[in-house]
């Protein structure tokens, strides 16, 4: 357990340093200020695009929740919403799993630490889970708020346990996409690693 906590802290610190180096710190030897400004601008535009998507999805969810409440179909709508969020996490989380688990720059350093490989793998998996949890929460929270408002305005009532189940749903939503991504990424990583060992293909890649 101590090894797991140590590796987890190391991975989180490395990720934080990577983000700070890319968007905040100024290091002329690696990246000039102009490139950093470009990266920050791209990140801001990406965040703006995500915000617009979330707003549009929230408006649509409110309308669908209102209509489904009138027809008594709001429970089925909730299941569809949770499935859509899981699909979103699945799509957005695939690159995160491969980059953090298999192609991360700190893998060589972590493998040199006097800890069991299981601790490194578990820590890496935890970081990926936390990333997916953030992604899922960013999409799910606004949708749930719009859903609740729409259902109540539609004249339906939600049981009290629904509100207690929201944190449970948020914590468990990344689990299924993470399991699917992990299973699918193993053969892909083997294929990429195989071809990258070929001199000709390495030049192309």
């Amino acid at each position: 357990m101590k090894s797991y906590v140590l590796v987890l802290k190391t991975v989180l610190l490395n990720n934080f340093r990577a983000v700070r180096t890319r968007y905040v710190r100024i290091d002329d030897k690696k990246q000039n200020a102009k490139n950093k400004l470009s990266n920050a601008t791209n990140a801001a535009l990406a965040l703006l695009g995500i915000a617009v998507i979330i707003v549009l999805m929230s408006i649509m969810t409110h309308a669908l929740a209102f209509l489904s409440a009138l027809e008594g179909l709001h429970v089925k709508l909730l299941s569809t919403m949770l499935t859509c969020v899981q699909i979103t996490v699945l799509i957005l989380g695939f690159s995160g799993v491969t980059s953090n688990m298999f192609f991360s720059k700190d893998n060589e350093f972590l493998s040199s630490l006097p800890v069991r490989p299981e601790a490194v793998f578990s820590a890496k998996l935890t970081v990926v889970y936390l990333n997916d949890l953030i992604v899922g929460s960013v999409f799910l929270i606004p949708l749930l708020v719009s859903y609740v408002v729409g259902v109540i305005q539609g004249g339906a009532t939600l049981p009290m346990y629904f509100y207690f189940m929201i944190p449970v749903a948020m914590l468990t939503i990344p689990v299924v996409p993470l399991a699917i991504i992990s299973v699918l990424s193993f053969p892909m990583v083997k294929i990429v690693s195989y071809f990258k060992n070929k001199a000709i293909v390495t030049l192309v890649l």
Side-chain angles (χ1 to χ4, degrees):
M1 186 64 180
K2 292 183 178 180
S3 300
Y4 164 77
V5 174
L6 174 63
V7 176
L8 179 60
K9 290 181 179 179
T10 303
V11 174
L12 290 175
L13 183 59
N14 288 342
N15 288 351
F16 173 76
R17 287 175 176 172
V19 173
R20 186 178 62 175
T21 300
R22 185 173 184 179
Y23 298 111
V24 181
R25 293 181 59 186
I26 299 178
D27 189 350
D28 293 333
K29 295 181 180 179
K30 295 182 178 180
Q31 191 177 36
N32 57 41
K34 184 177 180 180
N35 289 336
K36 288 182 178 292
L37 179 61
S38 177
N39 289 335
T41 302
N42 292 336
L45 291 175
L47 291 176
L48 178 61
I50 293 175
V52 172
I53 292 174
I54 292 175
V55 170
L56 294 177
M57 291 177 62
S58 299
I59 295 174
M60 183 177 64
T61 300
H62 176 270
L64 291 175
F66 177 79
L67 295 175
S68 63
L70 295 177
E71 300 294 333
L73 300 174
H74 52 284
V75 176
K76 292 184 178 180
L77 176 63
L78 179 61
S79 301
T80 303
M81 284 174 47
L82 296 179
T83 302
C84 290
V85 172
Q86 285 186 321
I87 294 175
T88 303
V89 173
L90 178 66
I91 296 173
L92 298 180
F94 190 82
S95 61
V97 170
T98 54
S99 60
N100 281 285
M101 295 288 294
F102 305 105
F103 300 118
S104 179
K105 295 181 179 179
D106 61 357
N107 282 346
E108 184 176 353
F109 167 72
L110 294 175
S111 62
S112 65
L113 296 177
V115 296
R116 296 175 61 86
E118 292 82 359
V120 177
F121 180 82
S122 299
K124 287 275 190 175
L125 198 62
T126 301
V127 172
V128 174
Y129 167 79
L130 292 176
N131 291 336
D132 289 348
L133 179 63
I134 293 174
V135 172
S137 300
V138 166
F139 283 92
L140 184 60
I141 292 176
L143 296 184
L144 283 177
V145 173
S146 299
Y147 171 81
V148 171
V149 174
V151 168
I152 293 176
Q153 290 180 347
T157 58
L158 295 170
M160 185 59 62
Y161 68 82
F162 167 82
Y163 301 97
F164 292 100
M165 291 300 295
I166 291 178
V168 178
M170 292 178 60
L171 291 174
T172 56
I173 274 181
V175 174
V176 174
L178 182 57
I180 295 175
I181 293 173
S182 299
V183 172
L184 295 178
S185 61
F186 275 106
M188 188 201 71
V189 169
K190 289 186 177 181
I191 294 174
V192 172
S193 300
Y194 173 79
F195 282 111
K196 279 193 172 183
N197 290 329
K198 305 298 182 180
I200 298 178
V201 180
T202 302
L203 293 176
V204 177
L205 297 178

